[in-house]
């Protein structure tokens, strides 16, 4: 049984993961961390990570960037593996994550969905075959109307995965409205749509002469990210210090 601390336990993702783990016989939450608590959880909740005195095998973090520095300090001190899911970290914090990974196991990924991470692997193979054959590459991502960043981190991760397989340097183009010229063969177009309650849609389009190949991923609830984080925690428990990502989890 893998024992985890849920950092940010009373947030939306924290509660989603709490529900998923409640019906999973291979993992349990032994403590939660959150600044407020209504007593609704079956495990003890501490208002800060420093006050947690419960033994665990890993931490799952879905909190805020402001709480990450103290979390990393705690994990380094306790040699506790950490599944780091909080986004929007500063350059300084990213450097601290890298430093912490030299002392304990850290898993960080742009997207925790198992499906997206499988797609990252498939896109490398597709790019290696289709790009040399002259296929143009476009990415369209769609998210809810409350999302403030564009393009999404996942769209950029998809583009980066493709870029790694290309023989020549390419550029990302986010907006074609400011210029009137033909599409360059060495560009990847990335378009963002914001509306309604779309959890996360990503289409990667390989457009060739007389044929189009499209890879699509649809997230219908936040549970897909929670399931990935749980699998990551199971994988990370007991691992030596180092930086890991979801590609390690899916093998």
């Amino acid at each position: 049984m893998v024992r985890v601390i849920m950092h940010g336990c009373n947030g939306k993702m924290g509660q989603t993961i709490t529900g998923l783990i409640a019906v999973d016989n291979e993992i349990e939450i032994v403590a939660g961390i959150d600044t407020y608590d209504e007593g609704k959880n079956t495990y003890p909740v501490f208002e800060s990570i420093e006050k947690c005195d419960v033994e665990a095998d890993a931490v799952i973090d879905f909190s805020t960037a402001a709480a990450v520095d103290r979390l990393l300090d705690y994990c380094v001190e306790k040699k506790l593996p950490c599944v780091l899911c909080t986004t929007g970290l500063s350059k300084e914090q990213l450097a601290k994550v890298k430093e912490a990974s030299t002392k304990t196991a850290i898993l960080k990924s742009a997207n925790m969905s198992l499906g997206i991470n499988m797609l990252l692997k498939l896109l490398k193979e597709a790019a290696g075959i289709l790009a040399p054959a002259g296929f143009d590459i476009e990415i369209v991502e769609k998210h809810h109307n409350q999302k403030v960043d564009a393009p999404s981190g996942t769209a950029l991760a998809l583009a980066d995965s493709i870029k790694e397989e290309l023989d020549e340097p390419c550029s990302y183009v986010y907006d074609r409205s400011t210029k009137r010229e033909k599409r360059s063969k060495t560009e990847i177009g990335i378009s963002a749509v914001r509306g309604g309650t779309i959890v996360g849609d990503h289409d990667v389009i390989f457009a060739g002469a007389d044929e189009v190949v499209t890879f699509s991923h649809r997230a219908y609830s936040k549970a897909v990210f929670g399931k990935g984080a749980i699998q990551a925690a199971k994988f990370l428990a007991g691992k030596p210090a180092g930086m890991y990502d979801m590609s390690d989890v899916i093998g």
Side-chain angles (χ1 to χ4, degrees):
M1 179 73 72
V2 176
R3 303 164 299 167
V4 298
I5 296 170
M6 185 65 237
H7 192 246
C9 64
N10 288 326
K12 290 181 179 179
M13 281 306 306
Q15 285 299 290
T16 295
I17 291 172
T18 295
L20 291 169
I21 287 181
V23 294
D24 190 323
N25 294 325
E26 298 177 350
I27 190 170
E28 65 175 332
I29 298 177
V30 293
I33 311 297
D34 215 301
T35 53
Y36 76 96
D37 184 47
E38 300 173 352
K40 57 186 176 182
N41 297 301
T42 58
Y43 47 81
V45 177
F46 300 86
E47 65 179 15
S48 69
I49 189 68
E50 295 91 346
K51 294 184 179 181
C52 181
D53 58 358
V54 179
E55 292 286 330
D57 301 306
V59 174
I60 297 178
D61 166 67
F62 268 104
S63 58
T64 64
V68 166
D69 290 296
R70 290 183 298 167
L71 172 63
L72 291 173
D73 291 339
Y74 180 89
C75 289
V76 167
E77 178 188 348
K78 303 289 185 181
K79 297 295 186 290
L80 186 64
C82 177
V83 179
L84 187 61
C85 304
T86 294
T87 58
L89 303 184
S90 67
K91 290 182 179 180
E92 292 77 15
Q93 286 179 309
L94 291 174
K96 187 168 184 173
V97 170
K98 187 175 181 179
E99 172 62 24
S101 72
T102 65
K103 300 179 176 67
T104 191
I106 305 287
L107 189 148
K108 186 179 183 301
S109 182
N111 189 303
M112 299 304 297
S113 158
L114 293 172
I116 282 289
N117 283 278
M118 182 186 71
L119 181 58
L120 289 169
K121 296 181 68 174
L122 294 174
L123 287 176
K124 288 186 176 183
E125 183 176 359
I129 298 170
L130 299 176
F135 281 68
D136 298 321
I137 306 169
E138 295 283 317
I139 298 173
V140 180
E141 58 97 343
K142 305 172 187 176
H143 285 85
H144 52 84
N145 57 22
Q146 300 301 301
K147 188 172 180 61
V148 296
D149 59 314
S152 68
T154 299
L156 292 173
L158 295 171
D160 289 343
S161 183
I162 293 168
K163 189 175 182 179
E164 289 177 7
E165 294 301 306
L166 301 183
D167 293 330
E168 55 185 321
C170 72
S171 60
Y172 300 159
V173 175
Y174 308 111
D175 181 11
R176 295 193 176 93
S177 66
T178 58
K179 56 184 179 181
R180 294 181 61 83
E181 59 185 46
K182 289 175 61 176
R183 183 191 194 282
S184 166
K185 281 293 182 182
T186 59
E187 70 182 50
I188 298 177
I190 306 177
S191 303
V193 176
R194 297 290 175 265
T197 59
I198 302 171
V199 175
D201 289 2
H202 293 86
D203 293 311
V204 182
I205 303 163
F206 291 86
D210 303 319
E211 63 178 328
V212 175
V213 179
T214 302
F215 292 84
S216 299
H217 180 272
R218 304 281 181 268
Y220 293 104
S221 78
K222 292 181 180 295
V224 299
F225 311 119
K227 290 175 182 177
I230 291 169
Q231 290 302 115
K234 292 178 182 179
F235 165 84
L236 203 63
K239 288 292 187 295
M243 182 66 75
Y244 301 84
D245 60 29
M246 287 300 288
S247 66
D248 297 306
V249 178
I250 65 176

